Amino acid sequence: MSQTCSCTDNQTDTSAWEGFTPGNWCETIDVRDFIQKNYQPYEGDASFLAGPTEKTKRLYDHLDKKYLSVERQKRVYDVDTDTPADVDAFGPGYISDDDNVIVGLQTDVPLKRAMMPNGGWRMVETAIKEAGKEVNPEIKHIFTHYRKTHNDAVFDIYTPRIRAARSSHIITGLPDAYGRGRIIGDYRRVALYGVDKLIEEKTAAKDKVADENFSEHWARYREEHSEQIKALKKLKAMAAAYGFDISGPAKTAKEAVQWTYFGYLASIKSQDGAAMSIGRLSGFFDIYFERDFKRGILNESDAQEIIDALVIKLRIVRFLRTEAYDQIFSGDPYWATWSDAGFGNDGRTLVTKTSFRLLQTLVNLGPAPEPNITIFWNEKLPTGYKEFCAKVSIETSSIQYEADSQIRDHWGDDAAIACCVSPMRIGKQMQFFGARVNAAKALLYAINGGRDEMSGKQIVPDHEGIADDGPLDFDEVWAKYESMLDWVIETYVEALNIIHYCHDRYAYEAIEMALHDSDIIRTMGCGIAGLSIVADSLSAIRYAKVYPVRDETGLVIDYRTEGEFPTYGNDDDRADDIAATVVHTIMSKIKAIPMYRDAIPTQSVLTITSNVVYGKNTGAFPSGHVAGTPFAPGANPENGIDTHGMLASMLSVGKLDYDDALDGISLTNTIVPSSLGRNLDEQIKSLVGIMDAGFIAKG
């Protein structure tokens, strides 16, 4: 017999919870407890899935012909130059008359981009002009004379050494001119509790500290909570404009998806973060679907149509970006990452039928990079699900995989990925995103005594380079590299602390933080680029003979390497241990520096897209890497250097200590499907086997 929750709060409409198993979630905000008490693991195959409905096909075809095709030609479909973005800044918008399953657009027209000038006016103005539009002079006057932006504040505080490091690309991609991202609101809370309950909880949290003596923390805590409450009220108003009252909990599966999407929509209406991930939704949605199936008010085709409709909306998220931003990220990604699968702490798989429905969108709608579907892989996942993942990967190249066991051990079983590899507990943790240090370029700076190998400028003062003409001595180079890293890391963390201090003051993510607990864990997401180049170059110096090549000013601009040396990515401990040592050394230096708001420092080995622009601004290396050419992405082996296959590269990456890179480690592989087997069945089994082996080995 099903049970019904009771709740002591008279303002909560508990009739919406009829049929759900009660628990702690009835008394306090606890979505994880709701999921654990109510979800049904699914260990079957994909045979139950439904194709796209006629409405879905009409909607997506209309979207492509009227909007997406135009955008592909113009780069930017349109920009609203008159309305600074906010949760409720725009009236309702629809794709077509068929757009009535899951509704809501960022602006009033599909693909029309909004200004978000709180991050920085210069970036907005440049992006508007690059889109072929004219700047509204009144809006410009406001944000250059009356409203200080995050970017203005950052550059008021930046020190000379930060500016030098930024301009020389030794520190790259800093979020000092746009939204920082890497904050995942628990959008499920809107559906489970309704907005009024969330406002009530935030009001109580704010007033909890009312009797304390004044302090900066006290004042900021109350002010931020006031902003969160205002944002929740705007969320209600935005939903009401679409004809929905989201003050109370969702009563059906369709409402649960719609309410959740409204929470996410509010976030992408008001922030243009580098990664606006949506979280971990499938298990949550599946509970509502299963209840509606039992009620007889939903069938499989309806359920798939709802998920398809939501994914269509996620595919058309757009932010106003400059062409330079697009070059850094090799396109226009926004990482609406949707995390799925894995296991709970109790040993049950978190795979549900809706986990399959999410993957089915890639079949029904075709391949797409967004939402960034991320599977928490575990060799113990149900066979039917693993095989369906492999099949969809082979056919669409649109899925990424993360190590379930490692993430769960560190972040729990209700964690999700922000961006590509950055895990966090949903609603209980946020990240101060910090781009990354060019660890490869730092090695060249160590050899050149702080002079930039591209420009010849002295960027780092008081550092003595390598004076002789070789062969280079490993111990001497390593000592100078460590010393150079001290300067680079200190400069980097100083910049991050400034950026996030200013972002909290001038571009605070009120609605995203309103969908978090009031007391949360903060991490500082540091990162490095060029790991494989550093590892191979240090390996060359240790195991071969490397001679520097200088220009007429004495600047080392190239290297002559004689002899063989082991390379990272081929499961060779000699090179792989160097890579692991570099990661550990940098993380140790980061940990030694105080962080803004006592954030916990973490590190990523991640350059999935920006490796191209990093390489463009970096010189030649002892490893043979040519000046100006792209870095390998993330923790990948150098391009063309891994000769032992995909599994060997996974094993090399597995030797990097996850405790040294808790913000995530990325490995990007390209496989020709025919290399996996003679037919699709063989290819599926081979791919499953490779992933099982790689993740068992701490990949």
Side-chain angles (χ1 to χ4, degrees):
M1 180 180 295
S2 64
Q3 297 170 287
T4 301
C5 283
S6 61
C7 185
T8 56
D9 178 6
N10 293 328
Q11 294 184 11
T12 301
D13 180 7
T14 57
S15 65
W17 297 343
E18 183 179 351
F20 293 148
T21 300
N24 185 60
W25 65 271
C26 296
E27 309 301 329
T28 188
I29 306 296
D30 191 345
V31 179
R32 178 193 175 273
D33 184 64
F34 168 74
I35 293 170
Q36 290 292 314
K37 294 288 195 307
N38 288 279
Y39 88 100
Q40 296 181 23
Y42 178 69
E43 302 201 8
D45 60 22
S47 58
F48 72 93
L49 289 168
T53 64
E54 289 303 314
K55 177 184 288 188
T56 297
K57 289 190 283 187
R58 287 196 306 270
L59 179 68
Y60 205 51
D61 184 62
H62 178 83
L63 175 67
D64 184 59
K65 289 180 178 178
K66 185 171 181 179
Y67 298 103
L68 292 171
S69 62
V70 176
E71 184 185 59
R72 286 192 289 268
Q73 295 174 3
K74 296 173 58 179
R75 177 178 168 268
V76 173
Y77 178 81
D78 195 8
V79 180
D80 187 301
T81 60
D82 301 318
T83 313
D86 202 350
V87 173
D88 58 351
F90 292 91
Y94 302 88
I95 297 171
S96 71
D97 292 341
D98 285 310
D99 187 10
N100 55 15
V101 178
I102 300 299
V103 302
L105 301 177
Q106 283 175 286
T107 58
D108 55 344
V109 175
L111 307 183
K112 182 195 283 187
R113 304 180 190 220
M115 297 181 294
M116 296 189 182
N118 288 337
W121 174 255
R122 283 176 293 177
M123 187 173 189
V124 168
E125 182 170 7
T126 299
I128 289 172
K129 292 178 178 178
E130 288 175 349
K133 306 283 285 187
E134 294 295 324
V135 171
N136 182 318
E138 183 178 353
I139 301 296
K140 178 177 180 177
H141 188 69
I142 291 170
F143 283 93
T144 54
H145 288 77
Y146 301 119
R147 176 59 162 86
K148 189 170 187 176
T149 69
H150 161 236
N151 184 248
D152 291 334
V154 167
F155 277 85
D156 280 349
I157 303 173
Y158 266 175
T159 61
R161 73 175 186 175
I162 294 175
R163 289 173 179 264
R166 187 181 186 274
S167 63
S168 68
H169 307 282
I170 188 73
I171 299 174
T172 54
L174 293 170
D176 51 17
Y178 57 91
R180 56 192 167 194
R182 300 273 186 96
I183 300 174
I184 308 174
D186 190 355
Y187 306 112
R188 306 166 302 185
R189 295 183 180 191
V190 180
L192 185 56
Y193 297 105
V195 176
D196 284 354
K197 175 66 175 176
L198 302 180
I199 291 174
E200 178 194 335
E201 291 284 322
K202 287 296 181 179
T203 302
K206 174 187 174 183
D207 291 339
K208 182 178 66 175
V209 300
D211 295 330
E212 293 183 11
N213 293 327
F214 179 87
S215 67
E216 184 177 349
H217 168 75
W218 177 92
R220 178 164 54 186
Y221 185 89
R222 286 183 56 78
E223 183 182 26
E224 287 182 350
H225 276 70
S226 291
E227 292 300 312
Q228 292 172 24
I229 293 165
K230 292 174 187 175
L232 288 168
K233 291 177 179 178
K234 290 178 181 179
L235 168 59
K236 280 181 63 176
M238 182 264 288
Y242 281 97
F244 292 91
D245 178 5
I246 62 172
S247 57
K251 295 182 179 180
T252 66
K254 186 176 179 180
E255 285 189 354
V257 176
Q258 181 68 72
W259 270 224
T260 301
Y261 173 61
F262 276 143
Y264 180 70
L265 183 61
S267 295
I268 58 175
K269 278 176 170 285
S270 57
Q271 287 289 330
D272 64 342
M276 298 294 288
S277 301
I278 197 168
R280 196 168 186 169
L281 305 178
S282 295
F284 179 75
F285 289 158
D286 200 76
I287 296 166
Y288 287 88
F289 284 134
E290 289 297 321
R291 187 179 64 167
D292 282 4
F293 288 144
K294 291 176 182 177
R295 290 171 166 177
I297 61 173
L298 196 75
N299 60 38
E300 184 54 42
S301 183
D302 298 329
Q304 188 64 54
E305 183 178 68
I306 292 169
I307 296 298
D308 286 347
L310 175 60
V311 166
I312 288 173
K313 292 300 191 297
L314 299 181
R315 289 187 177 191
I316 59 172
V317 174
R318 295 292 186 271
F319 296 111
L320 183 61
R321 308 290 202 195
T322 63
E323 292 177 0
Y325 179 98
D326 288 359
Q327 288 175 4
I328 291 175
F329 293 101
S330 298
D332 188 17
Y334 43 91
W335 289 290
T337 304
W338 182 326
S339 304
D340 208 347
F343 278 83
N345 292 336
D346 60 2
R348 294 184 296 161
T349 179
L350 289 167
V351 172
T352 63
K353 285 189 173 182
T354 301
S355 303
F356 281 81
R357 295 179 186 116
L358 174 61
L359 298 180
Q360 181 69 5
T361 64
L362 295 168
V363 178
N364 289 355
L365 305 174
E370 303 284 359
N372 179 22
I373 297 174
T374 300
I375 305 303
F376 288 1
W377 188 271
N378 190 305
E379 71 275 8
K380 297 178 182 177
L381 286 173
T383 299
Y385 183 70
K386 291 200 296 183
E387 291 181 348
F388 190 56
C389 285
K391 179 177 184 293
V392 175
S393 280
I394 290 167
E395 293 177 345
T396 71
S397 298
S398 299
I399 307 176
Q400 73 169 17
Y401 298 92
E402 306 275 348
D404 171 61
S405 296
Q406 301 238 35
I407 290 171
R408 182 161 31 87
D409 288 348
H410 288 83
W411 310 107
D413 62 2
D414 195 37
I417 299 296
C419 192
C420 303
V421 296
S422 303
M424 57 194 69
R425 296 175 179 90
I426 303 175
K428 300 181 180 301
Q429 179 181 337
M430 61 87 74
Q431 182 192 101
F432 294 137
F433 164 61
R436 51 200 56 85
V437 162
N438 190 333
K441 195 177 184 74
L443 178 62
L444 301 184
Y445 273 32
I447 294 170
N448 272 314
R451 290 181 69 192
D452 188 90
E453 75 287 353
M454 302 294 277
S455 68
K457 293 180 180 178
Q458 187 72 44
I459 302 299
V460 184
D462 304 322
H463 278 261
E464 190 174 315
I466 302 292
D468 62 69
D469 291 329
L472 297 176
D473 177 75
F474 178 86
D475 291 334
E476 182 184 12
V477 171
W478 177 258
K480 291 185 180 297
Y481 185 47
E482 274 216 76
S483 178
M484 183 58 63
L485 286 174
D486 287 335
W487 186 93
V488 172
I489 297 302
E490 287 172 4
T491 306
Y492 178 43
V493 174
E494 183 178 76
L496 296 183
N497 285 337
I498 291 168
I499 288 167
H500 295 296
Y501 165 80
C502 295
H503 207 293
D504 278 350
R505 292 192 68 190
Y506 298 101
Y508 180 64
E509 299 92 342
I511 189 61
E512 290 168 89
M513 298 312 299
L515 300 174
H516 280 73
D517 292 353
S518 289
D519 297 306
I520 61 168
I521 297 169
R522 294 178 175 87
T523 60
M524 184 70 79
C526 305
I528 59 172
L531 175 63
S532 59
I533 301 173
V534 176
D536 289 353
S537 294
L538 289 171
S539 178
I541 294 169
R542 170 172 275 178
Y543 296 105
K545 291 184 178 180
V546 176
Y547 299 87
V549 177
R550 303 178 187 273
D551 67 8
E552 63 277 5
T553 70
L555 182 72
V556 179
I557 57 172
D558 205 352
Y559 299 87
R560 179 169 55 86
T561 300
E562 297 177 356
E564 301 295 321
F565 57 93
T567 53
Y568 165 76
N570 294 292
D571 194 23
D572 187 319
D573 287 346
R574 294 174 297 169
D576 297 346
D577 287 350
I578 292 175
T581 300
V582 170
V583 174
H584 177 75
T585 299
I586 292 175
M587 189 67 242
S588 298
K589 293 179 185 299
I590 291 170
K591 285 180 177 178
I593 304 173
M595 300 286 162
Y596 171 63
R597 294 186 82 164
D598 297 322
I600 300 168
T602 61
Q603 179 178 207
S604 65
V605 187
L606 167 68
T607 52
I608 284 180
T609 55
S610 46
N611 50 295
V612 175
V613 71
Y614 291 168
K616 183 179 179 181
N617 294 290
T618 306
F621 286 85
S623 64
H625 185 94
V626 177
T629 59
F631 288 4
N636 273 51
E638 261 279 69
N639 299 314
I641 297 299
D642 52 324
T643 58
H644 288 63
M646 177 177 171
L647 183 56
S649 67
M650 294 179 78
L651 294 173
S652 290
V653 171
K655 295 173 192 175
L656 305 178
D657 192 338
Y658 185 52
D659 286 328
D660 288 329
L662 288 174
D663 194 39
I665 303 168
S666 76
L667 172 65
T668 307
N669 275 294
T670 302
I671 309 169
V672 178
S674 60
S675 68
L676 293 169
R678 293 167 295 181
N679 54 54
L680 184 58
D681 286 342
E682 285 187 6
Q683 293 166 9
I684 289 170
K685 287 181 170 53
S686 295
L687 185 54
V688 168
I690 289 171
M691 289 194 290
D692 279 349
F695 283 109
I696 288 172
K698 297 184 178 181

